[in-house]
Amino acid sequence: MALRRPALLLLLPLFGYRLLAVELTSSNTKPVVQEFQSVELSCIIKSTVTPDPRIEWKKIRDGETSYVFFDNKMQGDFATRAEILSRTSLVIKNTTRMDTATYRCEVAAPSDTKTIDEINIQLTVQVKPVTPRCTVPKAVPVGKTASLHCHENEGYPKSTYSWYRNSEPLSPDTKSNAKLQNSSYSLNPTTGTLVFHAVHKGDTGRYSCIATNDAGFAKCEEQEMEVYDLNIGGIIGGVLVVLAVLVLITLGICCAYRRGYFANSKDSGESYKTPAKPDCVNYIRTDDEGDFRHKSSFVI
């Protein structure tokens, strides 16, 4: 009696026969490339009996899946900058930071016992840092806190930061450098923040910062920070001068009040009154005189 197909497939390995199944492999499942360069995503058919298997490439980024190669054609923006190499591998030209993603190579082989296989390729596109933004205070008094900041957000992987004073590196560990043992600061290479907890005259200088990642580095321009002494005597003297001026002004106002310079005119004497006309006198004007003369009248 003839054996059924499932039973026959189970017996084939016992007689030295290998199950015919499509199987994929890759020479590099985690390629890394710098932005604007070309990269090959390796997908190799290790075994198959199907003469013309169907090939598909998919891109998975931020949880979304899109076609790269489907129905023997490149899809989307890959149509002008990607191609299939050696039947199954994918070559991407002029890579961008947006190409960083997981790419899935899928092969369908209908003539094989196992008809489908897939392999994931994790592509990383490195991006050089841009010139970081640096903020350095221009002048700080001795003993005060000073914060210096350095940051850029274009590089991938994320940049780390190092600070320089007068072109000499500032170590995160001040004890490792004899020139820095008198300095009291903390440096965070991840955030790019340099904090002087109590500046002294030796911290005066030109400061610059370098952002670095696996793709390269970028540097901001040097900026001057001056540390100056506080003139306590001058400050106290200035305050005393201001107080003395205020006292003199107050005394001057008080003396002016006492001497009556600010008194009301009603209090200084009698107000001027228009003289009243005498009784029985009328003032008249004639054309001949051109002036006033008086005329008496009597009342009986």
Side-chain angles (χ1 to χ4, degrees):
M1 182 175 63
L3 294 174
R4 295 182 178 179
R5 182 177 176 84
L8 179 61
L9 293 176
L10 292 173
L11 292 176
L12 285 176
L14 299 177
F15 293 97
Y17 293 96
R18 185 169 59 88
L19 290 177
L20 300 176
V22 62
E23 184 178 356
L24 301 180
T25 187
S26 176
S27 60
N28 186 5
T29 58
K30 294 182 179 180
V32 178
V33 65
Q34 291 193 15
E35 193 174 29
F36 308 125
Q37 294 183 351
S38 298
V39 63
E40 177 184 347
L41 307 186
S42 172
C43 179
I44 302 170
I45 299 178
K46 189 176 181 180
S47 64
T48 183
V49 296
T50 302
D52 189 18
R54 187 179 76 251
I55 311 298
E56 293 181 1
W57 277 93
K58 296 177 181 177
K59 176 182 178 181
I60 305 170
R61 179 183 172 91
D62 297 332
E64 297 184 1
T65 302
S66 59
Y67 278 107
V68 177
F69 182 76
F70 176 73
D71 196 20
N72 290 323
K73 293 184 296 184
M74 290 293 173
Q75 306 295 314
D77 68 321
F78 290 99
T80 58
R81 60 186 187 92
E83 61 183 4
I84 295 296
L85 180 67
S86 301
R87 189 168 71 163
T88 52
S89 294
L90 176 67
V91 176
I92 302 176
K93 304 174 183 179
N94 194 27
T95 56
T96 70
R97 63 195 69 190
M98 298 303 297
D99 292 331
T100 296
T102 298
Y103 293 82
R104 179 179 297 160
C105 175
E106 298 180 358
V107 175
S111 301
D112 289 55
T113 304
K114 179 186 174 185
T115 59
I116 298 176
D117 196 16
E118 62 184 35
I119 189 170
N120 289 333
I121 309 296
Q122 179 62 52
L123 173 63
T124 300
V125 179
Q126 296 179 341
V127 182
K128 293 181 180 180
V130 298
T131 301
R133 297 185 300 274
C134 299
T135 56
V136 178
K138 294 183 180 298
V140 184
V142 170
K144 297 296 183 179
T145 300
S147 296
L148 289 70
H149 301 279
C150 177
H151 183 70
E152 71 87 31
N153 54 11
E154 295 292 330
Y156 185 85
K158 290 184 177 181
S159 298
T160 57
Y161 304 93
S162 54
W163 278 94
Y164 293 77
R165 180 174 63 210
N166 300 329
S167 301
E168 294 187 3
L170 293 177
S171 172
D173 183 13
T174 57
K175 297 180 180 180
S176 63
N177 191 331
K179 296 181 180 180
L180 303 176
Q181 289 181 359
N182 293 329
S183 295
S184 174
Y185 69 82
S186 59
L187 195 163
N188 190 326
T190 303
T191 62
T193 301
L194 172 63
V195 178
F196 289 91
H197 303 290
V199 296
H200 60 84
K201 296 289 289 184
D203 295 325
T204 295
R206 302 183 309 276
Y207 287 82
S208 61
C209 171
I210 295 181
T212 307
N213 67 7
D214 294 337
F217 66 91
K219 178 182 178 181
C220 69
E221 294 183 358
E222 289 184 335
Q223 299 181 44
E224 183 80 20
M225 184 179 78
E226 178 187 1
V227 179
Y228 61 91
D229 290 318
L230 282 175
N231 189 352
I232 304 299
I235 295 175
I236 295 176
V239 172
L240 293 177
V241 169
V242 173
L243 291 176
V245 171
L246 292 176
V247 170
L248 291 175
I249 292 174
T250 303
L251 292 175
I253 293 174
C254 292
C255 291
Y257 267 110
R258 290 181 178 179
R259 294 184 179 183
Y261 290 109
F262 297 101
N264 195 314
S265 60
K266 292 182 179 180
D267 301 332
S268 60
E270 295 181 355
S271 59
Y272 175 79
K273 295 182 180 179
T274 303
K277 293 187 297 181
D279 293 339
C280 305
V281 178
N282 293 329
Y283 290 94
I284 61 174
R285 179 178 180 179
T286 64
D287 294 335
D288 295 335
E289 294 175 340
D291 200 349
F292 290 96
R293 65 185 180 85
H294 66 273
K295 177 180 180 181
S296 298
S297 63
F298 298 92
V299 178
I300 297 178

